[in-house]
Amino acid sequence: MRGHQKSLPNLRFLKPQSTARITQGNDSIGFKFQEQQNYQRFGKENSLQIDKNNTPVSNNISKVAKQSFIQKTEPNETTQKKMECRKPSVFKFLYRPILKQNSEQSLTPRIVQPLPEINYFYYVSDLVAAYGAKDNYFNRLFKDHLQQSFMAFKQCATSKIIFRPKPFILAKDPKDTRKYTLLLDLDETLVHCSLDMRLPCDKKLNIKLSPQEILQVGLTIRPGLQTMLETLQPHFEIIIFTASHGQYAKKIVEYIDPKKIISKVLSREHCCFTDLGQYVKDLSIVKNRFLSKTILVDNSAFSYFYQIDNGVPIIPFYENKSDKQLSLLTKYLIGVIGYEDVREYNQQYLKTYLLDKLDTLEQIIDIYKGQINSKKT
Ligand SMILES: [Mg+2]
């Protein structure tokens, strides 16, 4: 655990913001079901009554549980309203939905992401540009992402682990001489899955979660995924590390990776779970990989809170097909080749540790501006 000893505001009321609790759309029932799952998992009292007389449990669950199988990061409206009633208002931004997904009116304006300049730093340059420009779809995503990451780190610093998976050996082909391990988050990093089948998507998938349960999702793949996998394959062992349900993740990976470049899938049971409802990905649970050679790309910053310098941020993907983040990410990751310790590379270019060390977003942006200006001169 990190030794974040600074005096921090009491952020426990932000509990519903955690990934585990937040799903998109009107999910008040789904929210309760998630609570039930957590209570069952951790041996506490079951707080949700399910009508076993009138409806088979499996069918009943299928209505309420769907969203809990997918890790989501968008706040729902109920949560947002609750939070807006609470002071201080400085936290309002956390609950401003970036984009509503639950109606036909929610389609993203088709703003094309501009190509980067020569002096371009992955994530950092876009962030600085977003703070100096008018709001548009991508600028807003960057700003919201930084704000949410900042608050997520503050939350994590006050949370306690209530479940930690046992460390394990992850099989590796002895002939595989690739130096680096790349862990990729799934939802909102590589794909977006919607439960609203009216929304446009690339593919509708039926995912069998159990003999009685089939989850139907509309899958949208982030542009550039295939090219990224093929480009990075010679240098990185590529593994999915998601906080979503394992069966769901495997089915999605089966579809998005027909060439079987992704070698393994780690899922929710491999994540730590905190008393604030966060699924944190402790990279040290994999015993036979070096942290100095492991990178985790994740749209949720708290996922890599226990190894901040191994984390690479990425803004979330929902369904905007003009998103170019995977192409930019690929170039960033190729840049690590040759480094003995990936953490040095991330510290040098991403400086994600600033989110943990500094007290305001302005301080972080100022340091990022300095990084860009020093490159120009
Ligand atoms: Mg994610």
Side-chain angles (χ1 to χ4, degrees):
M1 278 290 295
R2 296 187 56 84
H4 191 109
Q5 299 299 327
K6 279 184 275 186
S7 159
L8 293 166
N10 180 5
L11 299 171
R12 283 176 182 266
F13 67 87
L14 295 178
K15 198 171 180 177
Q17 169 66 10
S18 66
T19 302
R21 311 296 172 86
I22 293 168
T23 53
Q24 64 190 25
N26 181 7
D27 70 334
S28 57
I29 302 175
F31 180 86
K32 282 181 186 170
F33 186 78
Q34 180 66 53
E35 290 277 322
Q36 183 205 27
Q37 280 199 318
N38 294 335
Y39 272 85
Q40 285 174 343
R41 185 175 180 184
F42 301 108
K44 295 181 183 175
E45 192 180 349
N46 179 354
S47 60
L48 179 67
Q49 299 299 315
I50 294 177
D51 182 1
K52 292 178 183 172
N53 298 325
N54 299 328
T55 315
V57 173
S58 59
N59 292 342
N60 206 341
I61 290 174
S62 70
K63 289 179 188 170
V64 300
K66 286 177 178 175
Q67 297 186 354
S68 72
F69 287 99
I70 308 175
Q71 186 199 25
K72 294 290 173 191
T73 52
E74 279 185 287
N76 63 41
E77 287 179 14
T78 311
T79 306
Q80 188 186 1
K81 278 177 191 164
K82 275 186 198 168
M83 296 312 303
E84 284 180 357
C85 293
R86 300 183 187 188
K87 301 290 179 181
S89 58
V90 69
F91 297 122
K92 276 185 182 178
F93 63 82
L94 279 171
Y95 301 94
R96 180 169 42 131
I98 291 166
L99 158 77
K100 289 185 179 177
Q101 296 278 329
N102 52 358
S103 75
E104 284 99 351
Q105 303 159 2
S106 69
L107 297 179
T108 313
R110 297 290 163 191
I111 296 168
V112 177
Q113 204 171 1
L115 288 169
E117 300 165 6
I118 297 168
N119 289 318
Y120 177 80
F121 294 95
Y122 169 75
Y123 186 81
V124 171
S125 294
D126 287 321
L127 196 57
V128 169
Y131 271 87
K134 281 184 184 174
D135 252 5
N136 65 29
Y137 177 78
F138 286 107
N139 287 344
R140 198 169 150 197
L141 272 184
F142 272 99
K143 286 196 271 190
D144 284 354
H145 186 258
L146 182 72
Q147 290 166 343
Q148 287 171 2
S149 300
F150 181 70
M151 292 310 298
F153 272 23
K154 304 304 179 203
Q155 273 188 297
C156 273
T158 65
S159 68
K160 292 191 183 88
I161 298 175
I162 56 176
F163 171 77
R164 183 193 290 279
K166 284 184 183 168
F168 60 92
I169 302 284
L170 191 61
K172 189 175 181 183
D173 183 350
K175 292 176 191 163
D176 186 351
T177 56
R178 288 175 295 182
K179 198 171 174 181
Y180 303 97
T181 300
L182 177 61
L183 302 169
L184 295 170
D185 172 48
L186 190 60
D187 292 298
E188 277 72 71
T189 295
L190 303 185
V191 301
H192 173 69
C193 279
S194 173
L195 298 169
D196 187 342
M197 304 312 284
R198 295 168 303 173
L199 293 173
C201 62
D202 294 334
K203 177 77 177 173
K204 291 179 180 172
L205 290 175
N206 292 320
I207 300 172
K208 198 171 181 180
L209 297 170
S210 71
Q212 294 83 26
E213 273 210 78
I214 293 179
L215 178 70
Q216 195 176 37
V217 298
L219 169 72
T220 306
I221 301 173
R222 194 166 203 163
L225 176 59
Q226 196 57 41
T227 308
M228 180 180 83
L229 293 177
E230 289 177 20
T231 308
L232 297 179
Q233 182 188 21
H235 312 283
F236 294 85
E237 169 197 26
I238 302 176
I239 295 170
I240 294 294
F241 196 172
T242 174
S244 292
H245 191 277
Q247 285 299 107
Y248 157 84
K250 281 176 186 164
K251 183 76 180 179
I252 300 292
V253 170
E254 215 172 87
Y255 184 77
I256 63 174
D257 180 32
K259 295 185 180 177
K260 308 228 177 300
I261 293 171
I262 294 166
S263 54
K264 291 174 188 67
V265 175
L266 303 179
S267 49
R268 185 170 295 181
E269 63 269 25
H270 301 108
C271 298
C272 295
F273 189 70
T274 74
D275 61 341
L276 295 184
Q278 300 142 328
Y279 286 102
V280 183
K281 299 168 185 175
D282 179 3
L283 309 187
S284 67
I285 63 157
V286 183
K287 298 291 281 179
N288 56 334
R289 299 292 188 279
F290 294 108
L291 284 176
S292 61
K293 303 287 186 292
T294 302
I295 283 178
L296 168 64
V297 181
D298 205 306
N299 70 295
S300 299
F302 54 75
S303 296
Y304 45 79
F305 182 72
Y306 298 157
Q307 290 92 17
I308 288 175
D309 294 326
N310 291 86
V312 171
I314 187 165
I315 55 166
F317 169 71
Y318 298 111
E319 41 82 34
N320 193 318
K321 285 289 191 176
S322 60
D323 179 290
K324 292 184 169 53
Q325 290 304 305
L326 292 186
S327 161
L328 301 171
L329 173 68
T330 304
K331 287 174 191 160
Y332 178 75
L333 292 174
I334 287 290
V336 82
I337 295 165
Y339 276 75
E340 278 309 307
D341 194 327
V342 299
R343 294 168 292 191
E344 279 176 25
Y345 180 66
N346 288 337
Q347 279 179 6
Q348 189 179 346
Y349 292 106
L350 293 172
K351 298 180 172 55
T352 313
Y353 60 87
L354 294 175
L355 294 168
D356 188 36
K357 302 285 180 206
L358 298 182
D359 295 322
T360 68
L361 293 174
E362 288 72 22
Q363 290 173 302
I364 297 169
I365 293 296
D366 282 347
I367 291 176
Y368 282 156
K369 280 179 184 169
Q371 178 179 334
I372 293 167
N373 290 335
S374 67
K375 180 82 177 179
K376 284 178 181 169
T377 53

